Amino acid sequence: MPRILIFLERGRFEEMLKIRPDCIPCTLSSALRMARRASSDPEQHKQVVQIMTQRLAHISWNESPFELAFTIQEAVFKVTGIRDPYSEVKKESNRDALELYPKMKKLISNSKNPLETAAKLAAAGNSIDFGVYSEVDLDSVIVKAERLEFAIKDFDEFEKRVKGAEKLLYFLDNAGEIVFDKLLIETMLEFRGSRFREITLVPKEEPLLNDATIADVQEVGLNKLPSVVIKPIGSGRKRAPYPRSREVSDWIKEHDLVIFKGQGNLELFLDEPDTFFILVAKCPIIAEVLGIPRESLVLRYSPPSKT
Amino acid sequence: MPRILIFLERGRFEEMLKIRPDCIPCTLSSALRMARRASSDPEQHKQVVQIMTQRLAHISWNESPFELAFTIQEAVFKVTGIRDPYSEVKKESNRDALELYPKMKKLISNSKNPLETAAKLAAAGNSIDFGVYSEVDLDSVIVKAERLEFAIKDFDEFEKRVKGAEKLLYFLDNAGEIVFDKLLIETMLEFRGSRFREITLVPKEEPLLNDATIADVQEVGLNKLPSVVIKPIGSGRKRAPYPRSREVSDWIKEHDLVIFKGQGNLELFLDEPDTFFILVAKCPIIAEVLGIPRESLVLRYSPPSKT
């Protein structure tokens, strides 16, 4: 029962989601993948790796791995002059996922439990991650959702909260994946039979790997859901707040249904009580922390704090 | 025809086997694996990664990836005080491979072409590499040899040279794997029906990942082959010469059958004319350079230089 374990050991888990030694080679591989997207010049690939290695040589083990994504983005921009190397990939992901939208819509409505199917698809959609993979096959994402069960499945609580909540706060992860999130929110609305008073979507302020930005949210029409508000997060160095800021903490408190998509959000918010996490456990450390096999689907509820 | 390509583009290949950006994350992963073998203390794992990251931040792209192995060894020793973290693993590998020796001996002698089977087993044995893998299943190594064909197979030339050569120079790679090398040399002797005038074996002077040292050579009885001489190579900072030294270059010239086992030796000696390479292409770069899929078996002949 990983869920009980997680509940009992919350303090330990918070500790575990800081940067680990394994994050260093993984970050360098991720930087190299991005450098190759931004430029075909092997000299520039070397430069990106060199800059990243120099920065990582002085990293603090107390930061979140999330910080490393900004470092990659900066290094690739500095060397190649490209601000958004995944720009094309993101557009393609959105387009490809939108093409599958009717098929997935049908899959959901024809299933025994549409809300569960939509949640599973949303979790499987978290595989659309060019920070981790070089290529993603969307059809296999759907097959994954059809074949696999959730390894952590706090569905009863989820169903209850979807039914009763007034204000939904939804932290998005990757472009393409957000079409799956759109389907989930639409299915939530059908399941409730009523609108939310407010749906707050949280994309990234600026390009960060292949994470969804406001442009992506608009591209897939997520902004057309009823009562939508869009509040981006970012590095905290521009306009949008850093995820672990007082401001974002206040957003979370003001909403009665909070969903975090993906690994980055899990790393940042695992200690956040009374919230949901939907993801694929792609990183071996996250899989270990959650006590599940890699590539498992997760719908996890963090219970309210005991105080 | 990858062979022709390799022949024509030798100059380019030499360039390709210097350190590449991909070597940096791979070296860090390898260092972390070794740190975990040497110590169970997560703080020490962090320290090893930190030291390695700091060193890699100032690496020269003109070095051979072979140099990186020494750097790993030093960093793990500095932090943990353990000079030979794979000591136990190497002993186990030798013991396990020796246990399979009778089975492999029979496999070879019952096969249509014992020399080819022995060469294929020797290539597959190159999978016993704890610098690359966390675990190795010896039985699956044998299955690999039985099922797979060589992706590069310069066997005719090999057979001819085994038949006619007087002095064999054999660069060893990993512990455990050397039992497969022993079988190959024994099969070579049976195939010839006569001794070599000299068999020079080249292990490592000091512990380097799970590479075979003199102790391993003795453990598996390789020193009992007829007319054996053992000449270790090393970092060049102790007694034994650096692989790319004048001294080792002279050894190569003095022998008429030269075999390099494994990736490290391929990286160092790919431009060496009139020599053989036997390995599994574990590293994606080496696979790319050779123009073959990863995990392929290789028996490759470098033709004599044209001058």
Side-chain angles (χ1 to χ4, degrees), chain A residues 181-247:
Chain A
D181 299 318
K182 188 182 170 196
L183 279 157
L184 175 57
I185 299 175
E186 287 171 354
T187 312
M188 284 162 72
L189 290 168
E190 279 163 34
F191 176 78
R192 292 161 59 86
S194 70
R195 293 184 166 202
F196 289 101
R197 185 143 59 86
E198 202 174 279
I199 299 175
T200 305
L201 301 175
V202 186
K204 302 300 183 297
E205 176 183 36
E206 288 193 296
L208 189 70
L209 301 171
N210 70 322
D211 283 22
T213 59
I214 297 184
D216 297 296
V217 168
Q218 291 168 339
E219 233 166 79
V220 306
L222 257 173
N223 54 327
K224 291 183 186 142
L225 290 169
S227 327
V228 156
V229 178
I230 301 174
K231 288 186 176 172
I233 51 171
S235 65
R237 288 154 219 158
K238 302 245 161 164
R239 203 182 300 184
Y242 190 71
R244 289 193 68 109
S245 60
R246 166 70 60 156
E247 192 174 344

Side-chain angles (χ1 to χ4, degrees), chain A residues 15 19-22 24-26 28-29 32 36 42 45-47 49-50 53-54 56-59 61, chain B residues 15 19-22 24-26 28-29 32 36 42 45-47 49-50 53-54 56-59 61:
Chain A
E15 174 64 25
I19 290 172
R20 299 255 207 123
D22 309 75
I24 309 300
C26 180
L28 285 168
S29 299
L32 189 49
R36 289 188 169 129
H45 306 159
K46 286 183 184 172
Q47 282 171 41
V49 169
Q50 204 133 34
T53 311
Q54 282 157 9
L56 291 170
H58 303 102
I59 205 79
W61 300 106
Chain B
E15 172 64 26
I19 291 171
R20 300 254 206 123
D22 308 75
I24 309 301
C26 180
L28 285 167
S29 298
L32 190 49
R36 288 189 170 130
H45 305 160
K46 285 182 184 174
Q47 281 171 41
V49 168
Q50 204 133 35
T53 311
Q54 281 157 11
L56 291 171
H58 304 101
I59 205 77
W61 300 106

Side-chain angles (χ1 to χ4, degrees), chain B residues 115 154-169 188-189 191-192 194-198 252-259 272-277 299-305:
Chain B
L115 186 62
D154 294 336
F155 184 71
D156 293 349
E157 184 64 28
F158 184 67
E159 200 177 44
K160 200 177 92 191
R161 301 300 287 271
V162 170
K163 195 92 197 168
E166 295 204 330
K167 294 178 78 179
L168 167 64
L169 180 63
M188 284 160 73
L189 290 169
F191 175 78
R192 290 163 60 86
S194 70
R195 292 184 167 202
F196 289 101
R197 184 141 61 84
E198 204 173 279
I252 295 171
K253 284 190 201 109
E254 285 159 14
H255 290 75
D256 51 354
L257 175 52
V258 180
I259 298 173
E272 203 59 64
D274 198 23
T275 59
F276 292 90
F277 297 88
L299 168 58
R300 177 178 175 274
Y301 177 57
S302 265
S305 55

Side-chain angles (χ1 to χ4, degrees), chain B residues 59-76:
Chain B
I59 205 77
S60 151
W61 300 106
N62 286 319
E63 283 176 42
S64 151
F66 187 68
E67 271 298 313
L68 299 175
F70 291 113
T71 314
I72 294 173
Q73 202 76 27
E74 275 168 41
V76 171

